[in-house]
Amino acid sequence: GQQDNQGNEFFLTFIENLSPPQLLVFVTTAETSAVSFTIETSNSFKASSAIAGKVTTFEFESSLQLSSETERDKWIYLKAEGDKKIIVYGASERQASTDTFLGLPVQNDLGNNLTYVAVMEDNLPSTQAEIGIVAVADNTVLSITPTQDVIVGTTSVSAHSTAQITLNRQDTLLLRSFSDLTGTRVESTKQISFFSGHECTFIPDGIYACDILLEQLPPVQSWGTRFATAPLLARTAYDRFRIIAGDLATHVIIQCLQANGATGYSAEVDLNSYGFHAVDIPSTDFCWIEGTQKILLIQFCVGSNADGVPSDPFMAMVPPVDQYSNSYTLATVPSIVQTYTHYLNILIPEAFYQLDQIFLNGVALSGSTVVSINRYGVTQVHAVR
């Protein structure tokens, strides 16, 4: 099945930020009436409600971060009433380093025997690439094949060898390395919550400053083949992308256009199973990226010194076009330490391109500047920023 972001149960964890952050969880719903839910940790329990169009915020101490390979209790569990669905976001925020993630729920139609693959950037040898895992069911057996030497529980595991560990419901596991863990593979007998990132890294190498990277990633089985990308607004240099192949060798095409219709970046790439390709795409370019087999696509914001724009690294999972939704309620970090400017990219498939029928806070997008994203000259998606 395809991964959904609306669900009844969520198991979260936070990998470690470089210095103690504020941990935030945001909850909303697309249901027409308020949804009661509970949110708990190993030592706290709260009941609350989610309302469509509004966001309920919870704050947690930095001690809830997953900071040791032997910690098993650094989880956050959310459960909605009955069969109702909620939407969950998380954020690790400190004054000089913040990233957010979209929570992915327990989803029974994904089945068992799933494969998860890590992705991040790693360009600062003094800080660590990190993977955080939460089991959602008892007797979950993980077969872990890291791309670098790691510790699995209390066992040292060499790069490219495989180790097994069994987790029970709500058990957490941390994998980390001072080298890039992109391509690390975790095969699980049952669904897990899988988080990937870095405590603080430059993007690209040598470009100041470092920030935390954090994202929850879906299993390979729910990846996609067709993607549209838009550059991050206000940046003038480039965005970095990583394309990760699943369990099959994959041919990938990248076709980009500039806003004025001029031809932009283009490339074709062949990837081995679980291989990846990194590419810097100019901030002028809107792209169509397609694989012959399922791929995962991650977009990275580069360091501020790349173009002098106040902004530092973060990572964001680009959803496949086939998994777009028709309604979104977005959470923004209610910072007490920073003033943020928020930007929004809206991507609209050609089949649903009616700007007067698409609304942002109740106002139609009619009159917005639109850029078409093409595949071999045929429009697939329209972008509004």
Side-chain angles (χ1 to χ4, degrees):
Q2 293 185 344
Q3 180 73 59
D4 197 355
N5 73 299
Q6 300 183 47
N8 184 259
E9 286 185 289
F10 293 78
F11 292 77
L12 310 179
T13 193
F14 283 89
I15 59 175
E16 195 169 27
N17 207 322
L18 184 60
S19 60
Q22 175 180 235
L23 304 179
L24 301 170
V25 173
F26 310 99
V27 184
T28 185
T29 186
E31 304 274 3
T32 55
S33 57
V35 176
S36 297
F37 68 92
T38 57
I39 179 169
E40 61 180 295
T41 70
S42 61
N43 57 15
S44 69
F45 180 93
K46 294 179 181 180
S48 188
S49 61
I51 300 172
K54 297 183 178 181
V55 175
T56 304
T57 303
F58 300 88
E59 298 181 13
F60 296 94
E61 296 295 326
S62 61
S63 59
L64 194 59
Q65 289 182 116
L66 188 52
S67 57
S68 167
E69 286 87 350
T70 57
E71 291 177 327
R72 297 289 175 267
D73 62 349
K74 297 303 179 73
W75 49 267
I76 300 173
Y77 174 62
L78 297 97
K79 174 70 170 69
E81 63 175 320
D83 59 357
K84 300 290 187 180
K85 293 184 177 182
I86 54 177
I87 301 165
V88 177
Y89 302 89
S92 176
E93 188 213 15
R94 65 180 183 89
Q95 186 167 4
S97 181
T98 299
D99 201 0
T100 62
F101 65 85
L102 173 66
L104 302 178
V106 177
Q107 196 168 321
N108 293 331
D109 64 353
L110 292 180
N112 296 317
N113 299 314
L114 301 170
T115 302
Y116 299 80
V117 181
V119 58
M120 70 281 291
E121 281 271 344
D122 180 78
N123 299 307
L124 188 57
S126 61
T127 58
Q128 297 196 76
E130 301 173 307
I131 297 168
I133 295 170
V134 191
V136 307
D138 289 341
N139 298 313
T140 298
V141 180
L142 306 181
S143 297
I144 300 170
T145 307
T147 54
Q148 309 290 340
D149 295 351
V150 297
I151 297 173
V152 177
T154 58
T155 302
S156 296
V157 180
S158 299
H160 309 297
S161 60
T162 300
Q164 285 194 340
I165 188 171
T166 300
L167 301 181
N168 290 319
R169 185 177 184 271
Q170 294 178 335
D171 280 351
T172 52
L173 180 68
L174 174 66
L175 306 173
R176 56 185 174 178
S177 171
F178 286 103
S179 299
D180 197 337
L181 287 171
T182 296
T184 293
R185 188 168 73 254
V186 177
E187 295 171 315
S188 178
T189 57
K190 300 176 183 179
Q191 189 178 167
I192 57 175
S193 289
F194 184 83
F195 297 82
S196 183
H198 202 285
E199 64 175 331
C200 201
T201 191
F202 295 140
I203 300 178
D205 187 14
I207 298 297
Y208 189 83
C210 85
D211 260 41
I212 185 175
L213 305 179
L214 173 60
E215 197 68 82
Q216 184 175 357
L217 301 180
V220 171
Q221 287 79 0
S222 62
W223 293 1
T225 59
R226 306 186 312 138
F227 299 81
T229 72
L232 299 174
L233 194 61
R235 302 312 300 267
T236 60
Y238 53 87
D239 297 334
R240 173 160 289 190
F241 292 83
R242 281 197 170 189
I243 305 165
I244 301 89
D247 58 350
L248 298 172
T250 303
H251 184 74
V252 179
I253 62 167
I254 305 171
Q255 298 180 345
C256 306
L257 290 176
Q258 297 178 11
N260 61 8
T263 300
Y265 178 87
S266 67
E268 297 194 23
V269 180
D270 288 305
L271 298 176
N272 295 324
S273 60
Y274 305 116
F276 74 93
H277 176 70
V279 58
D280 295 333
I281 295 180
S283 295
T284 54
D285 287 17
F286 298 73
C287 304
W288 181 260
I289 299 176
E290 183 173 331
T292 54
Q293 307 292 337
K294 289 182 177 181
I295 56 176
L296 180 70
L297 180 62
I298 301 293
Q299 185 169 5
F300 296 93
C301 182
V302 297
S304 59
N305 279 11
D307 52 14
V309 175
S311 179
D312 277 328
F314 64 78
M315 64 184 285
M317 181 174 61
V318 180
V321 172
D322 297 337
Q323 296 181 25
Y324 287 3
S325 176
N326 66 349
S327 177
Y328 295 89
T329 299
L330 304 175
T332 54
V333 178
S335 179
I336 60 173
V337 297
Q338 291 278 33
T339 299
Y340 293 117
T341 300
H342 300 289
Y343 301 99
L344 185 63
N345 287 341
I346 302 174
L347 299 173
I348 309 160
E350 167 67 14
F352 302 98
Y353 180 60
Q354 294 178 281
L355 289 185
D356 61 345
Q357 297 299 311
I358 301 173
F359 301 89
L360 176 61
N361 290 335
V363 178
L365 295 182
S366 303
S368 300
T369 300
V370 178
V371 179
S372 297
I373 299 174
N374 296 347
R375 179 187 186 277
Y376 295 114
V378 179
T379 299
Q380 305 292 317
V381 172
H382 301 270
V384 178
R385 300 195 296 167

